[in-house]
Amino acid sequence: MSTSGTGIVYRPRRLRTTPRMRRLAAETRLHAADLVLPLFVKEGLAEPAPITSMPGQVQHTEATLRDAVADAARAGLGGVMLFGIPAERDATGTAGDDPDGVLQRGIRVAREAVAEVESETGRPGPVVMADTCLDEFTDHGHCGVLAADGTVDNDATLDRYAAMAVAQARAGAEVVAPSGMMDGQVAVIRDALDDAGFDQVSILAYSAKYASAFYGPFREAVDSALQGDRRTYQMDAANAREGLREADLDLAEGADMVMVKPAGTSLDVLRGVADRSDVPVAAYQVSGEYAMIEAAAANGWIDREGAVLESVTAIKRAGADVVLTYWANEIAEWIK
Ligand code: PBG
């Protein structure tokens, strides 16, 4: 039993001896089709605008969005998640469900780019998804409409989400992704989509979405107007059980996929949701997670590729089937 009298009963290091052995023994693999690239499109831009706090990421024009989606398609990504930044904002986020609004235009452009690359390569391109939320469209920057006392009015917001989801579906979104954490948002959107004839459009529910300091760079990415915080609707980072309950509610309301966000600080919740979900589970590696690694790597303090691959592998290991990450294209290249 023991080896030369050392008392060692088994040597786990045998499976770590060579790259080929480690590859065979790996429990978690990254695949391009599991990755979703978030993309920003801004109305009225002449040139793509770099997002300072997210080096390498830009606000796209419609033309460069088309190129970015085509690149994502050639990289074999599973999806793209689109965010729109309108030229005009108002109290109820009117631009969010305008058929000609920036996000709807972006969705159309993205679908065209996917179709072009699909016909060129003969392979499936990325699923086109859209963020279904009001914060990019309201002048106060909240994810919903405000009541007279200044709080976010849950049920009034649901009507707006329903209208946005239908507008996104009409523009060609294959997945709508409500991210505002309003109670009942999945059920209301499902009804609205079905009534409008879009029973084949899926809902990716941001189920356990925490109020997070790690969304900081995203606020720059969408020129956010928000003063204050989102703590009356997004979850408290102290709570894990509550995240599971949120996911259960979304599943009961008909979510086709559920999401946990931010990914890196919620791996326990992600594991819990993955264990009870019978639909695909997504996790969003958010802007702050991106910015931290980019900043450390730019200073020479961390190995960039190593840190990126390790962070995304950990998210998959914790139970994510799908990972939204700003590094999606680059990762796809590395793991080819
Ligand atoms: C809301 C939304 C946010 C993010 C995705 N959808 C911002 C927020 O909730 O404050 C954050 C994504 C990121 O930080 O990368 N529309």
Side-chain angles (χ1 to χ4, degrees):
M1 180 77 167
S2 79
T3 315
S4 337
T6 60
I8 294 173
V9 295
Y10 178 70
R11 293 185 180 274
R13 286 184 57 188
R14 276 196 288 268
L15 293 179
R16 303 174 199 145
T17 47
T18 61
R20 71 174 77 94
M21 200 60 107
R22 291 194 291 274
R23 185 180 64 174
L24 178 70
E27 298 174 34
T28 308
R29 289 179 208 288
L30 300 182
H31 193 287
D34 298 331
L35 304 176
V36 173
L37 178 66
L39 289 166
F40 303 98
V41 57
K42 180 169 170 175
E43 191 170 355
L45 268 190
E47 294 292 326
I51 303 163
T52 316
S53 53
M54 299 177 71
Q57 304 298 313
V58 301
Q59 296 175 326
H60 283 287
T61 68
E62 275 180 46
T64 66
L65 177 71
R66 184 185 298 269
D67 297 342
V69 173
D71 287 347
R74 291 199 187 88
L77 299 191
V80 289
M81 174 66 77
L82 305 184
F83 295 89
I85 305 137
E88 305 286 340
R89 293 171 155 150
D90 59 24
T92 58
T94 315
D97 58 321
D98 179 344
D100 202 36
V102 61
L103 185 47
Q104 279 63 258
R105 296 174 69 96
I107 292 165
R108 280 189 222 107
V109 161
R111 285 297 301 270
E112 285 166 18
V114 170
E116 276 165 31
V117 178
E118 281 182 339
S119 67
E120 173 189 308
T121 62
R123 290 189 295 129
V127 170
V128 174
M129 313 182 181
D131 185 60
T132 308
C133 197
L134 283 174
D135 63 311
E136 291 92 7
F137 300 97
T138 52
D139 51 13
H140 45 73
H142 274 293
C143 294
V145 296
L146 303 183
D149 65 359
T151 59
V152 173
D153 183 333
N154 192 86
D155 296 12
T157 300
L158 295 180
D159 294 336
R160 300 293 300 126
Y161 287 0
M164 276 189 87
V166 170
Q168 292 170 352
R170 278 210 179 98
E174 298 167 285
V175 173
V176 298
S179 63
M181 290 300 283
M182 295 301 129
D183 297 336
Q185 62 187 13
V186 172
V188 166
I189 288 172
R190 183 71 273 155
D191 275 353
L193 288 172
D194 291 352
D195 286 350
F198 296 109
D199 62 1
Q200 296 302 303
V201 169
S202 294
I203 300 175
L204 165 56
Y206 284 69
S207 297
K209 178 173 177 182
Y210 290 88
S212 174
F214 293 98
Y215 306 151
F218 179 93
R219 305 277 160 87
E220 183 198 341
V222 299
D223 305 340
S224 175
L226 184 71
Q227 305 283 323
D229 61 54
R230 307 195 195 287
R231 292 181 185 278
T232 69
Y233 41 106
Q234 297 180 349
M235 288 177 50
D236 186 332
N239 301 346
R241 272 197 305 253
E242 188 187 350
L244 304 182
R245 179 161 168 69
E246 284 279 9
D248 286 347
L249 285 167
D250 286 351
L251 290 167
E253 289 178 28
D256 300 285
M257 295 178 264
V258 290
M259 197 194 309
V260 175
K261 176 184 173 191
T265 51
S266 323
L267 296 181
D268 57 333
V269 180
L270 180 54
R271 168 45 60 201
V273 169
D275 284 347
R276 64 215 276 139
S277 171
D278 46 15
V279 302
V281 175
Y284 199 142
Q285 183 177 51
V286 302
S287 58
E289 299 178 82
Y290 178 88
M292 282 194 297
I293 291 180
E294 288 293 341
N299 278 291
W301 295 339
I302 202 168
D303 169 41
R304 183 172 177 275
E305 182 174 334
V308 169
L309 289 175
E310 183 179 329
S311 63
V312 176
T313 300
I315 293 165
K316 287 215 76 187
R317 190 191 67 221
D321 302 296
V322 172
V323 182
L324 285 79
T325 172
Y326 297 98
W327 287 298
N329 274 340
E330 223 175 337
I331 293 170
E333 195 55 44
W334 292 332
I335 63 180
K336 248 212 227 109

